[in-house]
Amino acid sequence: MHDRALINVEVNIVPFSTGERRKRSRGDKRILELGSTIKSTFEPVVQTSLYPRSEIDIFVHVLQQDGGLLQASINASTLALISAGIPLHDFVCAVTGGVHSTAPMLDLTTLEENDIPHVTVAVMPKTKKVTLVTMETRLHVDRFGDIFKLACEAGQVIHKEMKRAVSERTQKLVTAMEMGPRVVPSADVGDRDAMIDDLNDY
Amino acid sequence: MPRPPSPSIPEKEFLFNALKQSLRLDGRQALEMRTPTLTFGPDLGWVECSLGKTRVIAQVDGKMVKPPPERPLEGLITIHSEISPMASTEYEPGRPSDEEVTMTRMLDKVIRRSDAVDKESLCIQAGQRVWHLRLTIHCLADAGNLLDCACLAGIVAFKHFRRPEVEVVGDEVTIHHPSERAPVPLSMHHTPFCLTFAYFPDTSTPPVLDPTHLEQRLSAGLLSVALNAQRELCVVQKAGGVPLDPDEILRVVDVAVIKAKELDKIVEERLKEDFAGRNIEVQ
């Protein structure tokens, strides 16, 4: 595309990530869908107009999963994009929420996901707007309203943690750069020759 | 690989300006859906659904198979849907585009994962014989909102389908031909309907329900809600696109609840009409 960057997401789920070893085929629709969901989530968030005629690749490798796969992939992709220095409009923080009878729950494990209706919500914390909502299980409309609002608030909490992690890393990088060998701004070639002549004299 | 020409700038500007004034190009209200037209074929389980110019054919057929060992008491349901270039020149055969993957997955979630059809009722002999229902979706024409049309066609096909009656005496299984004994309807837990709303880049523009092709191409985000008439949400899918307020999403869900009730009434009426005209009861 001539005026913006293309975002390409590839998801690779290793066979040993779940309790039972299961090799997934490349064309598995569920994995393709995960990839295209992450892509659609980040397309309005990444400032793609700054990189025309380029492609930004996001490779997601799932090493271990116990529920909340989409949620973890989105959070990891956000942090990876920030760590790569790609300009974003805002963080994207994702959380899963579920309702068991009437008790709401956040960040579900696999056992919980198999049992209770759950929804994954991704919010942009600065504007508190929602970029992603997916729900695949049956849930009554009223219950949905409650857990949806709760998940949006939980997104803000995740944002705090993400910001903390990003500032810690930036601090480490800055400290590392300051303590590295100082590079003297190189003088003119003429001066250098004069310096070497001086050294030879001694 | 021919790329379809993107909507031209005059088309884009005209659409956005019209939508800002709450006017849609085909004269509908912002939250008005095209009335679905359901046509039933000679076979039970064959239905053609059209939403305006968008047309989809769905067909259900069943055969008896041996169930997989991990689930010996449940029947099998498979959904086969491929968008061929017949629907629109945008689709290529063989290579599933993003939209096709979304549609296949949504169909799967709405019809299979939401447990619309009672799978345990499809069991004939535990561990040996179960019904394997195959739903095939053919997209004939895409004039926007192929997903809603396909979901509607699929679910109506399941409601329309009648399976032959099977009698199990001990170890002997007798399948009765439809002319001997009336075929039996499928036992369904609920009837989910899918509704898609399109959002546009300008946040002051209200969302539109059941977008046409042009509205879909120019939209900045789609929100699909699948629910049944009993106010239960089956699938909510908003993947990216323009960020929305949580309240806006809840408002849209409320609108969807009303529309689902209307759709349910229309579908029930059509099914009743069709069955009154058929002669499947054996005297």
Side-chain angles (χ1 to χ4, degrees):
Chain A
M1 279 186 279
H2 63 99
D3 62 340
R4 51 185 62 238
L6 196 69
I7 300 189
N8 177 35
V9 178
E10 276 180 30
V11 179
N12 177 28
I13 303 189
V14 297
F16 49 84
S17 60
T18 49
E20 281 174 17
R21 188 189 175 85
R22 193 162 29 135
K23 184 134 201 281
R24 289 149 210 272
S25 59
R26 288 230 80 198
D28 187 8
K29 289 279 165 72
R30 226 187 53 135
I31 300 183
L32 281 180
E33 192 203 10
L34 189 66
S36 91
T37 311
I38 299 177
K39 176 180 149 136
S40 335
T41 311
F42 283 102
E43 253 164 13
V45 176
V46 175
Q47 296 188 18
T48 46
S49 42
L50 295 175
Y51 302 106
R53 289 184 280 261
S54 320
E55 181 175 294
I56 299 177
D57 290 333
I58 304 178
F59 296 105
V60 180
H61 292 274
V62 180
L63 300 175
Q64 195 177 5
Q65 52 170 318
D66 182 22
L69 181 58
L70 179 59
Q71 153 200 284
S73 307
I74 292 182
N75 289 338
S77 304
T78 308
L79 290 170
L81 286 167
I82 291 176
S83 152
I86 296 180
L88 307 175
H89 287 291
D90 197 355
F91 282 69
V92 182
C93 309
V95 174
T96 45
V99 183
H100 176 69
S101 313
T102 43
M105 293 205 267
L106 290 173
D107 189 17
L108 309 173
T109 60
T110 308
L111 275 178
E112 291 162 350
E113 272 183 2
N114 288 341
D115 212 30
I116 65 175
H118 55 277
V119 55
T120 306
V121 177
V123 297
M124 289 170 62
K126 231 176 9 193
T127 50
K128 300 214 170 65
K129 293 208 174 174
V130 175
T131 46
L132 169 97
V133 185
T134 46
M135 185 171 80
E136 304 175 6
T137 41
R138 256 194 297 170
L139 182 59
H140 197 268
V141 169
D142 306 324
R143 298 279 104 71
F144 176 74
D146 300 330
I147 195 62
F148 183 59
K149 290 229 170 80
L150 193 65
C152 293
E153 286 171 26
Q156 304 289 87
V157 174
I158 301 258
H159 168 61
K160 272 210 211 58
E161 292 300 309
M162 284 173 128
K163 241 174 62 164
R164 199 171 51 85
V166 169
S167 356
E168 263 179 43
R169 171 158 170 81
T170 319
Q171 277 292 347
K172 274 203 208 123
L173 282 178
V174 163
T175 327
M177 277 164 30
E178 275 174 3
M179 285 170 58
R182 293 218 105 193
V183 177
V184 180
S186 57
D188 284 27
V189 179
D191 281 358
R192 242 203 17 232
D193 283 346
M195 264 173 27
I196 292 171
D197 283 345
D198 283 348
L199 280 171
N200 284 340
D201 283 348
Y202 293 95
Chain B
M1 201 165 54
R3 275 204 67 162
S6 315
S8 57
I9 298 180
E11 272 184 300
K12 203 158 47 165
E13 286 179 359
F14 184 55
L15 184 81
F16 286 154
N17 286 336
L19 283 171
K20 254 205 268 259
Q21 301 169 35
S22 293
L23 294 168
R24 288 176 80 168
L25 295 189
D26 52 2
R28 284 186 277 157
Q29 298 291 316
L31 294 173
E32 193 186 318
M33 208 173 143
R34 291 172 284 192
T35 322
T37 320
L38 298 165
T39 320
F40 297 97
D43 279 337
L44 289 165
W46 193 101
V47 63
E48 182 197 325
C49 172
S50 55
L51 281 175
K53 291 217 173 111
T54 305
R55 290 167 63 187
V56 173
I57 290 183
Q59 201 230 341
V60 178
D61 61 56
K63 59 180 195 221
M64 290 209 292
V65 295
K66 195 163 149 65
E70 55 262 11
R71 285 178 202 268
L73 299 167
E74 285 182 358
L76 298 165
I77 300 181
T78 47
I79 304 181
H80 183 77
S81 75
E82 233 177 36
I83 313 186
S84 73
M86 178 160 63
S88 166
T89 46
E90 295 167 7
Y91 304 109
E92 290 159 40
R95 183 156 157 57
S97 59
D98 261 348
E99 201 190 316
E100 200 175 321
V101 172
T102 317
M103 190 177 106
T104 312
R105 288 291 307 153
M106 275 299 284
L107 269 171
D108 197 54
K109 283 189 244 188
V110 171
I111 301 182
R112 248 171 35 126
R113 276 213 63 174
S114 70
D115 262 347
V117 180
D118 182 12
K119 290 208 262 216
E120 286 186 3
S121 70
L122 300 174
C123 178
I124 305 167
Q125 265 184 316
Q128 290 186 6
R129 271 186 244 262
V130 296
W131 281 108
H132 174 185
L133 298 175
R134 220 179 108 94
L135 169 68
T136 315
I137 304 258
H138 296 280
C139 303
L140 299 181
D142 179 15
N145 209 4
L146 206 49
L147 171 63
D148 283 3
C149 201
C151 285
L152 186 60
I155 208 71
V156 173
F158 272 122
K159 289 200 90 158
H160 191 247
F161 180 66
R162 298 281 184 270
R163 60 175 175 83
E165 181 160 340
V166 176
E167 207 179 290
V168 181
V169 178
D171 256 345
E172 213 182 273
V173 177
T174 336
I175 312 174
H176 294 275
H177 194 266
S179 55
E180 290 174 16
R181 283 212 204 167
V184 172
L186 295 174
S187 131
M188 302 196 55
H189 284 143
H190 66 109
T191 317
F193 300 105
C194 185
L195 297 155
T196 304
F197 296 82
Y199 284 88
F200 296 94
D202 184 0
T203 39
S204 61
T205 318
V208 297
L209 169 60
D210 190 18
T212 58
H213 194 210
L214 188 62
E215 289 166 352
Q216 203 169 336
R217 291 297 306 277
L218 295 172
S219 68
L222 294 170
L223 168 61
S224 294
V225 180
L227 65 165
N228 58 31
Q230 286 79 41
R231 299 195 60 170
E232 275 184 328
L233 283 168
C234 306
V235 182
V236 176
Q237 173 100 335
K238 175 191 173 348
V242 64
L244 299 172
D245 266 322
D247 295 320
E248 171 70 18
I249 295 186
L250 291 175
R251 185 184 76 91
V252 159
V253 167
D254 285 330
V255 171
V257 167
I258 303 173
K259 295 293 166 188
K261 285 214 182 79
E262 289 174 18
L263 268 179
D264 194 44
K265 249 196 329 215
I266 295 175
V267 164
E268 289 298 325
E269 265 177 48
R270 274 300 287 135
L271 281 171
K272 231 174 19 188
E273 264 177 50
D274 181 71
F275 278 121
R278 268 176 215 270
N279 190 10
I280 46 171
E281 295 295 322
V282 175
Q283 302 307 341

